[in-house]
Amino acid sequence: MTFHVLDRPVCSTLMGRQSHLAIRRGRAFRMHPDYGLFAGLEDEGPEALADLGALVREHGTVGLIAPDATPPVPGTEVVSNAVCLQMEAVEVAPAWEVDFDMLDLGDADGPEMLALATLTKPGPFFSRTHQMGDFIGVRLDGELIAMAGQRMRPDGYTEASGVCVHPDHRGKGYAARLLREVTARILARGEKAFLHSYTDNTTAIRLYESLGYRGRRELMFTILRPAEA
């Protein structure tokens, strides 16, 4: 690769440490749909674009994160193009006391994690997304009300993701404290942490900045689906 691993994070992830999550077809690849919708290309030549089109038709909607919008892909149509701010953290804000416990989450919590993500829409989340990295959460009276975790893992980096809080329990510091803990764990491994936010989500960006994240660059998030016949 001649680009920085974060310039094309999906490519760096599915051609690297998490290649076991990829479905490949020629010069294109995508995550297995149980884990996510992210896809990537070895290049943007006609052969690679045709391979990506075949993957979309065979396995459904995909999302690409790249410096620019994806060129036209045969047999697909664009659902949306959105500019995202990619943020990186090499240090994290000091911890502060909280009056709630943070619990490690696992497969037994998977259905509740999916339900919370479906309700709050923190970003693409599927039945096995929680298996891509460590997740932590908060339970109140037995109910999972907040969580955050790790997703893509290009070499030297881990993405913080899946940060969400049930609408009935927002404004109590759950998101900030969970994301701070996720970030601290990534940095403790000797890696750098990164995440993505839509550029117009200024509230989230301010939160991330308060925890030690800084804007790295803007990227385009393109979602493609099979074209209607």
Side-chain angles (χ1 to χ4, degrees):
M1 300 180 189
T2 59
F3 51 84
H4 190 284
V5 294
L6 293 189
D7 289 346
R8 297 180 182 275
V10 180
C11 296
S12 302
T13 294
L14 295 184
M15 296 176 71
R17 291 190 290 170
Q18 291 174 303
S19 60
H20 60 286
L21 303 180
I23 299 173
R24 295 189 63 95
R25 183 183 179 96
R27 304 185 68 81
F29 40 88
R30 64 157 296 155
M31 280 185 188
H32 189 286
D34 288 350
Y35 293 91
L37 54 70
F38 295 110
L41 298 160
E42 289 188 7
D43 56 70
E44 293 185 345
E47 181 179 343
L49 294 171
D51 290 336
L52 178 60
L55 280 178
V56 174
R57 294 191 298 275
E58 292 168 2
H59 300 283
T61 300
V62 299
L64 296 97
I65 304 175
D68 302 296
T70 304
V73 176
T76 74
E77 59 186 19
V78 175
V79 176
S80 61
N81 279 314
V83 181
C84 293
L85 177 63
Q86 185 182 77
M87 306 183 75
E88 180 181 1
V90 296
E91 60 183 11
V92 67
W96 61 92
E97 292 187 6
V98 294
D99 58 358
F100 55 85
D101 294 326
M102 293 178 288
L103 308 172
D104 291 325
L105 302 175
D107 281 345
D109 306 293
E112 287 181 276
M113 296 169 74
L114 180 59
L116 181 60
T118 301
L119 174 67
T120 59
K121 297 179 171 57
F125 202 97
F126 299 88
S127 62
R128 300 182 71 180
T129 302
H130 68 278
Q131 296 178 351
M132 293 181 66
D134 296 336
F135 274 78
I136 55 177
V138 177
R139 288 188 176 279
L140 186 63
D141 297 329
E143 178 188 3
L144 182 66
I145 62 167
M147 69 176 184
Q150 304 170 16
R151 188 169 60 183
M152 291 188 282
R153 299 179 62 197
D155 289 344
Y157 292 83
T158 293
E159 180 191 25
S161 183
V163 183
C164 55
V165 179
H166 192 285
D168 293 342
H169 301 281
R170 290 175 179 164
K172 301 176 183 178
Y174 294 128
R177 190 62 184 86
L178 288 168
L179 179 56
R180 192 264 169 210
E181 179 65 20
V182 168
T183 304
R185 293 186 184 189
I186 293 169
L187 300 181
R189 296 200 300 262
E191 298 183 334
K192 296 178 182 178
F194 74 106
L195 52 74
H196 298 98
S197 175
Y198 292 119
T199 53
D200 60 359
N201 192 348
T202 56
T203 299
I205 291 172
R206 284 196 297 268
L207 168 63
Y208 303 151
E209 289 175 338
S210 74
L211 295 173
Y213 284 86
R214 297 294 178 263
R216 178 180 175 272
R217 68 165 300 166
E218 291 184 351
L219 296 170
M220 185 68 72
F221 181 36
T222 301
I223 296 182
L224 304 174
R225 67 186 176 195
E228 295 183 2

